Structures are given as structure tokens and as C-alpha cells.
Amino acid sequence: MRPAIFPLQPDPGCLLLLLVSWLFNPARSEITSLDSGNIDDILNNADVALVNFYADWCRFSQMLHPIFEEASNVIKEEYPDKNQVVFARVDCDQHSDIAQRYRISKYPTLKLFRNGMMMKREYRGQRSVTAIADYIRQQKSNPIREVQDLEEISSLDRSRRNIIGYFEQKDSDNYRTFERVANILHDDCVFLSAFGAISKAERFSGDNVIYKPPGENAPDMVYLGSLTNFDLIYAWTQDKCVPLVREITFENGEELTEEGLPFLILFHMKDDLESLEKFQQEVARQLIGEKGTINFLHADCDKFRHPLLHIQKTPADCPVIAIDSFRHMYVFPDFSDLSVPGKLKQFVLDLHSGKLHREFHHGPDPTDVAPGQPIQDLASSPPESSFQKLAPSEHRYTLLREKDEL
């Protein structure tokens, strides 16, 4: 593991004062130290928890300690209930099992948890008391906009994904479950609610939650499960709010990498929506069962022309489909084969079975060699592939390393 680049270079004088305060006033600290014995209990009972994954030998971790603790003290004055906001830390050298569980690959890493569930977006803001405190205040703000008139629904931004809850009253188990879901998924969807007489017209069969997908003419979808079953409504809402095929950019690439899954990527020109639609359809048709084992993504060919060059492609070759396993990139042979039944699925299965990696180094498997074609000696390794420079020595997404070369 390695230290991260500290996003903010604090003023040396301020940092020295914070370090002195941290060394000589440890009693003020509200930081909870987590270990394998208490981590689940503490995080599960916290509305919001910000966890600092650190290593004592890392100087950036050392710089963050006093800042993190002072931010905790500030927030504790505003949210005194111990379960409202928890500031916690994990010594990753002492608790490597916890670091592995949460895929910590750099120090320090600040991750947000809600009722024990880790949020996919870690804290990437400035490492300052003010910035961290403001971030927590933002996390504690209400993610749901209350509708005062149903006419507001007709003027929603239909380029966004909208989830609307219609409830008889706010003080109800149904709404509290809806609120928990909104707290987790508010970065992916717009959440709205209406109550009492305002919502009555939409509550013909009781409290109701609907999804309005992007597009002016896209039909609404109604949630039909129990509104008090968090797992059910969360799974339904996540399915609606997080598209099966997501766009990767330089801004979100690191977040996607930290999910720990290989990437199946369509490289396409920005205005080539036809290829994107075909890819989305085939992923839904062939690979829905692989969700959770690989991330389905699409990328702008112009923005990511450098990685295309690494696989001997240019934007003129787009659309191109490839897998990034974090060790190598493997190219889907022919985009025109995308709609061949089972072809894309087999490509992904060959990744999981190790066949793509094996053939990357040793050529086609003997069973794949055409009759009469000589079989390569599998006992000896071929010369280094021209793709070898793509294999990162650390668990970082290949495309991100190209950003600095642009």
C-alpha cells in the first residue's frame, strides 16, 4: 500500500499549532478507534460515520490526524448525540483485515458510512477543518425536497432520474425508510416527497413511491413492494438510480476503480448514441447475471485516445469494446459481433476463467487453434507484449494514468 497525495498543503504555522494541540490535548479527541471487535456495532448504529483509514508511518496520515480530530470536535458541538455523527479511525497496519475488507489502497482514505453501509464516494475534498466539517453538515442535510403543489411534478427536470414518494404523513415508518434510501442514493437520483392533502390524489391505494426515468415521454414505474422493507426498496431504487452502463470520466474513474471490479468498456464517439444503445441492450440481454462481477462502462473516444493507442486503436476505430482487468486490457474482436447471441457474455466468461489472461501471454488455447495451424509451445513465455506497459503495478485504473499525459 502507498500514501496518497495530500490534496491540500496546509499553512505550516497552522499545521504546527494543530500538531502541538493534538499531542498535548488528546483528551479533547472524539475519535473512535475501530477494530474487528467493535467496527460493525459502531458503524451500524451511526446515522453518519466518517472513518479515517491511516498508517502511522505515512506522513500524510500524520498531517491529517489533528485536522480530523479538530473537525470532529467542531461537529460534536452541533450534533451532540453520539449516534448522529461518528468520527472514527482504523490503523491499517494493525488491522489489515479491515483495510482489505474496505479495499483501502492508499493512505489516508476517508470513507463515509450510513447505518453501517459504506458509501461508494469517498471524501475527496480539502483536508482542512472547515472543509471536513462542511462536508458532514452537507451529509446531514435533508436530501428530499418537499413538494408543496403537484404542479411542481410536471415541471421536473426530465433529464434527471426522479424518485417521488407520496405519503399520508411524514412521521411514519414508510417515510423513514424512504428517507434512509434517499440519504444513500441522493447523488444518483433526485428525491421528492409530498404529504397529506397534497399527495392524496397519488395515494389511491396507500402510500406510494414512483420512479420517473429520464425522457419526457418515458413512462413512470411504480414500486410494488413493502415500504417498510429497507432492503427491498433500496434494491429497487438503486436499480433505477444507478444505470447498468455508466459513463467513465477522469473525474469518477478512481471511484469506479475502488469498487474493485474489472471494467467492460465501450469506447465510442460522443455523438455515436446508436453504438451506445446497442451496447446497453446487449449488456442487459446477455450480462445482467454478471452484474456485481464486472462494471459496465462507456467512454468518450476523443477524451481517452491515449489508452486506445495502447491497444493499437484510434478514435477512427471506434466503437471499440475492451476489458480492463487492472492487469491488462483485452479487446473484443469485432464490434459487429456484439449482437451475436452469447458472444459478449463469452468474452466476459473468458475473463473470469482466466482464458483471456492465458491467451494474452501464451497465444490461443490448443482447442481454439484452427486445424493445421501449429500450436505454440505453452511451456515458454513469448516476448513481452506491446500491451505490457498497460499492466499497472498498483491497483489503479489504466485510463487514469493517461490524464497527466494529455
Side-chain angles (χ1 to χ4, degrees):
M1 295 188 182
R2 64 199 187 286
I5 296 175
F6 204 75
L8 176 70
Q9 295 300 322
D11 176 79
C14 293
L15 181 58
L16 179 59
L17 288 174
L18 283 169
L19 283 168
V20 170
S21 174
W22 179 61
L23 288 170
F24 292 98
N25 298 284
R28 293 191 63 221
S29 171
E30 294 285 350
I31 309 301
T32 302
S33 293
L34 302 178
D35 55 42
S36 57
N38 67 5
I39 185 169
D40 291 327
D41 182 59
I42 289 173
L43 295 184
N44 289 343
N45 287 292
D47 294 341
V48 171
L50 187 63
V51 181
N52 175 16
F53 293 87
Y54 71 95
D56 274 333
W57 50 261
C58 168
R59 71 184 181 94
F60 301 111
S61 293
Q62 296 165 10
M63 294 166 69
L64 181 61
H65 279 316
I67 296 170
F68 192 69
E69 293 188 355
E70 185 59 30
S72 170
N73 292 330
V74 169
I75 289 298
K76 285 299 180 183
E77 292 180 2
E78 301 176 27
Y79 301 96
D81 186 328
K82 67 176 183 178
N83 289 331
Q84 282 186 297
V85 179
V86 170
F87 276 69
R89 60 186 168 207
V90 175
D91 183 334
C92 293
D93 281 342
Q94 296 294 321
H95 304 289
S96 58
D97 56 326
I98 297 178
Q100 184 176 8
R101 173 180 173 182
Y102 294 111
R103 301 191 183 99
I104 304 302
S105 59
K106 61 186 183 299
Y107 304 125
T109 292
L110 298 179
K111 286 192 175 290
L112 185 77
F113 293 78
R114 290 184 179 276
N115 302 112
M117 182 180 294
M118 184 178 73
M119 301 297 97
K120 63 183 180 182
R121 293 179 175 88
E122 68 183 55
Y123 176 74
R124 300 180 187 280
Q126 290 186 332
R127 305 295 170 91
S128 70
V129 173
T130 300
I132 293 174
D134 285 345
Y135 172 73
I136 293 299
R137 293 185 189 103
Q138 181 184 23
Q139 297 304 315
K140 291 295 293 179
S141 63
N142 191 347
I144 305 171
R145 178 165 69 87
E146 185 173 342
V147 172
Q148 302 300 328
D149 189 317
L150 291 185
E151 286 298 317
E152 295 178 39
I153 304 299
S154 61
S155 60
L156 290 178
D157 180 354
R158 294 307 300 267
S159 68
R160 304 288 304 276
R161 293 174 168 81
N162 295 279
I163 302 286
I164 309 168
Y166 299 99
F167 302 95
E168 183 177 0
Q169 55 186 2
K170 183 178 289 189
D171 185 16
S172 65
D173 290 338
N174 286 351
Y175 180 71
R176 280 187 282 272
T177 305
F178 183 74
E179 194 173 34
R180 280 184 65 193
V181 172
N183 273 318
I184 295 169
L185 294 172
H186 66 272
D187 287 333
D188 302 294
C189 267
V190 175
F191 286 83
L192 304 99
S193 62
F195 302 95
I198 295 172
S199 67
K200 187 175 181 179
E202 296 291 338
R203 290 188 289 105
F204 44 87
S205 59
D207 289 353
N208 192 24
V209 172
I210 68 167
Y211 166 61
K212 287 185 175 293
E216 290 294 336
N217 300 316
D220 294 348
M221 302 179 70
V222 181
Y223 173 69
L224 300 176
S226 167
L227 286 172
T228 57
N229 188 318
F230 170 78
D231 291 336
L232 279 180
I233 191 170
Y234 173 75
W236 181 85
T237 309
Q238 184 184 45
D239 182 64
K240 304 299 178 285
C241 292
V242 182
L244 186 60
V245 178
R246 294 177 282 176
E247 182 177 11
I248 184 167
T249 65
F250 286 128
E251 288 70 33
N252 70 0
E254 188 171 359
E255 284 178 9
L256 292 170
T257 302
E258 288 166 354
E259 294 181 16
L261 300 176
F263 297 164
L264 177 68
I265 315 166
L266 167 69
F267 295 93
H268 67 104
M269 301 305 292
K270 187 175 182 179
D271 58 355
D272 180 12
L273 300 182
E274 182 181 352
S275 295
L276 175 57
E277 184 177 353
K278 287 181 181 177
F279 182 68
Q280 291 170 327
Q281 289 174 350
E282 292 306 319
V283 166
R285 181 178 294 118
Q286 299 185 40
L287 295 173
I288 192 67
E290 296 299 317
K291 186 178 181 181
T293 69
I294 190 167
N295 274 328
F296 311 116
L297 307 170
H298 67 100
D300 185 329
C301 279
D302 275 331
K303 290 182 179 178
F304 290 106
R305 59 176 61 231
H306 278 68
L308 283 173
L309 290 174
H310 283 311
I311 55 175
Q312 300 180 341
K313 303 289 184 181
T314 70
D317 296 310
C318 289
V320 173
I321 296 173
I323 285 175
D324 187 336
S325 71
F326 301 126
R327 299 182 67 182
H328 304 294
M329 290 186 74
Y330 310 103
V331 181
F332 186 70
D334 192 336
F335 182 81
S336 62
D337 287 339
L338 178 62
S339 58
V340 175
K343 193 84 171 182
L344 187 63
K345 182 174 183 177
Q346 190 59 54
F347 184 53
V348 172
L349 293 178
D350 286 346
L351 169 73
H352 295 324
S353 70
K355 181 179 178 181
L356 293 182
H357 181 77
R358 192 166 57 248
E359 293 188 342
F360 180 90
H361 289 288
H362 303 295
D365 282 353
T367 54
D368 295 334
V369 176
Q373 181 178 344
I375 299 175
Q376 185 177 9
D377 180 7
L378 300 185
S380 60
S381 296
E384 284 294 329
S385 165
S386 60
F387 299 125
Q388 188 62 32
K389 58 187 174 181
L390 287 176
S393 58
E394 300 165 312
H395 186 74
R396 303 290 280 173
Y397 181 41
T398 304
L399 301 190
L400 298 180
R401 300 204 316 281
E402 309 308 323
K403 183 178 181 182
D404 295 332
E405 299 178 18
L406 296 180

